[in-house]
Amino acid sequence: MEGHKEPLRVRVEGSHTNCSLSEMDDFHLTRALEKPRQLKIERKRSLDERSMSELSNGYVRQDSFLDMAHSPGSRSILDTPLSVRNSFEPHPIIAEAWEALRRSMVFFRGQPVGTIAAYDHASEEVLNYDQVFVRDFVPSALAFLMNGEPDIVKNFLLKTLQLQGWEKRVDRFKLGEGVMPASFKVLHDPVRKTDTIVADFGESAIGRVAPVDSGFWWIILLRAYTKSTGDLTLSESPECQKGMRLILSLCLSEGFDTFPTLLCADGCSMVDRRMGVYGYPIEIQALFFMSLRCALSMLKPDEEGREFIERIVKRLHALSFHMRNYFWLDFQQLNDIYRYKTEEYSHTAVNKFNVMPDSIPEWVFDFMPLRGGYFVGNVSPARMDFRWFSLGNCVSILSSLATPDQSMAIMDLLEHRWEELVGEMPLKICYPCIEGHEWRIVTGCDPKNTRWSYHNGGSWPVLLWTLTAACIKTGRPQIARRAIDLIESRIHRDCWPEYYDGKQGRYVGKQARKYQTWSIAGYLVAKMMLEDPSHIGMISLEDKQMKPVIKRSASWTC
């Protein structure tokens, strides 16, 4: 292929290991405490040489494409992205999607540094949709990386890293040094011909809540960039090493917590309004786990990094045990909770969080299939939020927070409850909605989060990319293909809206912006991952136990 470069291999000095960058993530956690490693770079067989022979045999081994490092590739011309040139039968909306994505690009002093949240000229109120959001840029970044265009991603990582160093205040209170911005905006002065950046660390957000997820997404994206390009110089730079340590210091600090999970306020993540997710929300815990694993693979075991590596290893063991045992819900566990005794004291207590069986909502009993399960939305003393949250469960699969059996059970649940969780437009951000008196109490009568709308059971096309990645990792590409078909049937006509309303996701959201950038980028990333499953290595972390053989299905485009 023109401009294609062979992926990189990494040899670890002092051992007999010769592995790819993705395989480095598979080292046992305790290996991270060994003596500092020196890296040597050598070439490896290209993806084309390895994968084509496997494709001809009718199957793809997951460990084959997950362990392949990604090469930068040549930058494609504007009108011919790699995803179009490499597809045998590209969908007609792909070219339009790329055009819309490029139209959303933001430049600072002539260099691309991100993409705005939405490019909707029909909307009279711009609000903050003309800003570059950290979480919103992630699917855009992955699309550019998969298309062999890493410069904008590198610029974004460096620019947000500079913003992290700013002094951050809300009224008279100073935020932690490691807090990453929720978003930033580039202001152009045509008279003076200067560019300036204004950042928002939560002081302008609804509810004035700092974004807990921004730092996690930054670490995850830094690893994705490293995996895609094979360039270790960015992640190993003193600035990025310090940035990771500052983020981790906020999360690993000791306090009054008795759990390894992170205590959070409402509105600190994608669900950025009051929706009853305060406490220990699954989305934050899954991103926390994934960012810890990503940081573990990138931190240098020098004098400063070694202490963090040791703390990460201990936290990962505690966090994985806690989540897999106390957040997991399947038919058997539901039945056990239903029969729980309460007011148990001592270390022999079975109902460790004193969850009241009468607090189990009626819908769960009909929703839970015999085969299937999921991580519940929240667990804290005397409280269990039984709602299903899509992003947290998909990230749990990608990070291997979910065990292999749990990952398969999540996908089983999705297939069994397709009408409820997907309907006519992928994918429900959470299920079910809250309504009536509960809605008034939990949301404070939020007019934007009415039932089956926005964060309250709305359908978000951006979640397609996390679903697709989870489907590929678990060997269920046909599920992703089915979801993509639904997206392609109408999102173009609807002008790429931010979200859809209704129990089936049938209606364009009542306040949804058109040409929402992450809706566009999420679709492109999902398509490119199905076309080239090795892309999943950017955003998937493997356990040695989870290496099934994936048989090629009719839904898997090539």
Side-chain angles (χ1 to χ4, degrees):
M1 183 185 302
E2 181 182 353
H4 183 81
K5 298 180 181 179
E6 295 180 334
L8 303 177
R9 296 289 293 187
V10 177
R11 176 172 291 132
V12 182
E13 290 293 335
S15 72
H16 298 290
T17 304
N18 186 32
C19 62
S20 67
L21 288 169
S22 58
E23 290 170 332
M24 290 178 66
D25 300 318
D26 296 333
F27 287 161
H28 192 274
L29 294 177
T30 55
R31 290 289 301 278
L33 303 180
E34 294 178 356
K35 62 183 181 180
R37 301 188 298 267
Q38 296 178 339
L39 301 179
K40 285 187 177 181
I41 307 297
E42 64 181 21
R43 291 295 174 187
K44 172 184 144 185
R45 275 194 304 158
S46 70
L47 170 63
D48 295 334
E49 295 175 57
R50 289 192 58 183
S51 62
M52 290 311 293
S53 60
E54 293 167 344
L55 295 181
S56 63
N57 292 330
Y59 69 89
V60 177
R61 284 185 54 84
Q62 187 177 30
D63 57 332
S64 175
F65 65 71
L66 284 176
D67 289 343
M68 293 178 189
H70 299 270
S71 61
S74 59
R75 181 184 177 96
S76 61
I77 59 176
L78 285 179
D79 297 329
T80 315
L82 292 176
S83 61
V84 175
R85 290 192 287 122
N86 292 348
S87 281
F88 294 128
E89 296 180 1
H91 196 278
I93 69 173
I94 290 180
E96 180 190 323
W98 273 108
E99 181 182 350
L101 181 60
R102 298 189 189 285
R103 193 166 58 238
S104 71
M105 292 171 65
V106 173
F107 292 83
F108 178 76
R109 296 175 183 172
Q111 297 296 320
V113 292
T115 53
I116 59 174
Y119 195 82
D120 186 1
H121 286 304
S123 177
E124 296 180 357
E125 290 184 304
V126 176
L127 298 178
N128 58 355
Y129 284 84
D130 61 345
Q131 298 183 23
V132 180
F133 282 81
V134 172
R135 76 175 67 95
D136 290 40
F137 181 66
V138 171
S140 296
L142 294 177
F144 286 120
L145 288 174
M146 292 177 186
N147 199 47
E149 303 178 53
D151 290 348
I152 185 174
V153 182
K154 183 177 182 179
N155 294 339
F156 170 86
L157 290 168
L158 290 173
K159 185 53 62 181
T160 47
L161 187 62
Q162 291 176 1
L163 298 176
Q164 183 194 41
W166 287 12
E167 183 178 279
K168 302 168 276 285
R169 288 184 178 273
V170 177
D171 293 332
R172 298 183 180 182
F173 183 73
K174 184 178 179 181
L175 277 67
E177 188 179 1
V179 174
M180 280 287 184
S183 63
F184 65 87
K185 182 176 181 178
V186 177
L187 301 177
H188 303 283
D189 187 334
V191 178
R192 298 182 179 180
K193 297 182 179 180
T194 58
D195 291 344
T196 55
I197 284 184
V198 178
D200 176 20
F201 293 90
E203 69 270 23
S204 300
I206 296 174
R208 303 301 185 264
V209 180
V212 176
D213 63 338
S214 286
F216 299 153
W217 280 122
W218 187 89
I219 292 176
I220 293 167
L221 187 55
L222 178 61
R223 175 188 175 273
Y225 171 86
T226 304
K227 299 282 290 183
S228 174
T229 62
D231 177 17
L232 300 175
T233 58
L234 181 62
S235 63
E236 291 184 350
S237 67
E239 295 78 13
C240 285
Q241 291 287 308
K242 180 183 178 182
M244 283 190 285
R245 291 196 301 268
L246 288 175
I247 295 170
L248 295 172
S249 65
L250 293 175
C251 312
L252 299 176
S253 58
E254 296 178 350
F256 293 100
D257 294 315
T258 55
F259 314 129
T261 42
L262 282 182
L263 181 62
C264 303
D266 245 336
C268 67
S269 59
M270 179 181 176
V271 182
D272 59 1
R273 300 169 75 92
R274 181 176 163 188
M275 269 295 294
V277 297
Y278 61 89
Y280 305 91
I282 177 60
E283 176 182 336
I284 291 296
Q285 313 314 320
L287 288 172
F288 179 36
F289 183 86
M290 188 167 189
S291 65
L292 287 178
R293 290 200 63 192
C294 289
L296 187 62
S297 70
M298 294 185 293
L299 280 173
K300 299 167 70 174
D302 52 21
E303 183 177 351
E304 294 179 295
R306 186 176 179 82
E307 177 190 354
F308 281 94
I309 290 173
E310 293 174 350
R311 292 163 68 184
I312 289 172
V313 169
K314 294 177 181 177
R315 191 62 166 263
L316 283 172
H317 283 301
L319 184 59
S320 59
F321 176 85
H322 183 91
M323 297 297 296
R324 292 167 181 173
N325 285 276
Y326 303 131
F327 273 67
W328 181 251
L329 188 71
D330 55 19
F331 183 85
Q332 184 59 52
Q333 180 67 6
L334 178 60
N335 204 162
D336 292 343
I337 296 173
Y338 176 70
R339 293 167 51 83
Y340 268 170
K341 295 179 181 179
T342 60
E343 309 301 327
E344 292 182 297
Y345 296 91
S346 84
H347 296 289
T348 60
V350 176
N351 185 1
K352 296 182 183 296
F353 293 91
N354 199 33
V355 176
M356 305 297 170
D358 288 343
S359 70
I360 304 175
E362 288 294 327
W363 65 266
V364 179
F365 295 103
D366 294 328
F367 178 74
M368 182 63 70
L370 291 175
R371 290 179 58 241
Y374 64 103
F375 289 102
V376 297
N378 220 310
V379 176
S380 58
R383 176 182 178 234
M384 182 174 284
D385 184 351
F386 289 88
R387 283 178 295 176
W388 178 88
F389 287 84
S390 58
L391 182 58
N393 277 274
C394 287
V395 173
S396 295
I397 293 175
L398 295 176
S399 65
S400 291
L401 172 59
T403 66
D405 288 341
Q406 288 172 339
S407 297
M408 295 301 176
I410 293 172
M411 302 310 297
D412 287 339
L413 175 78
L414 191 67
E415 286 193 297
H416 281 295
R417 296 291 175 250
W418 182 267
E419 290 301 316
E420 292 89 342
L421 303 180
V422 181
E424 296 184 21
M425 178 57 63
L427 181 65
K428 287 294 180 192
I429 189 172
C430 70
Y431 181 89
C433 72
I434 52 178
E435 51 189 327
H437 179 68
E438 184 183 15
W439 169 79
R440 289 189 288 271
I441 297 299
V442 172
T443 73
C445 301
D446 188 349
K448 195 168 185 178
N449 273 329
T450 54
R451 64 174 191 159
W452 304 116
S453 180
Y454 203 50
H455 298 140
N456 189 13
S459 300
W460 292 68
V462 63
L463 296 171
L464 178 67
W465 81 264
T466 57
L467 172 64
T468 301
C471 289
I472 293 174
K473 183 172 181 179
T474 54
R476 311 276 189 96
Q478 70 280 2
I479 299 179
R481 179 70 264 168
R482 186 180 176 190
I484 289 175
D485 288 343
L486 286 174
I487 289 272
E488 291 177 336
S489 67
R490 62 172 298 187
I491 198 169
H492 165 72
R493 297 198 313 269
D494 297 334
C495 302
W496 306 93
E498 179 182 12
Y499 63 95
Y500 286 78
D501 284 353
K503 199 168 185 178
Q504 295 290 312
R506 181 175 296 175
Y507 304 98
V508 174
K510 58 184 176 181
Q511 296 187 41
R513 288 296 192 276
K514 300 295 184 68
Y515 295 100
Q516 186 79 12
T517 304
W518 69 355
S519 296
I520 297 166
Y523 165 72
L524 290 172
V525 171
K527 289 288 285 187
M528 286 189 282
M529 282 193 292
L530 275 184
E531 292 166 0
D532 184 355
S534 69
H535 285 315
I536 193 181
M538 293 186 203
I539 38 85
S540 176
L541 292 156
E542 278 303 291
D543 273 349
K544 282 295 185 183
Q545 298 175 346
M546 193 174 181
K547 297 274 189 174
V549 172
I550 299 182
K551 294 185 178 180
R552 180 165 292 279
S553 69
S555 68
W556 200 326
T557 59
C558 174

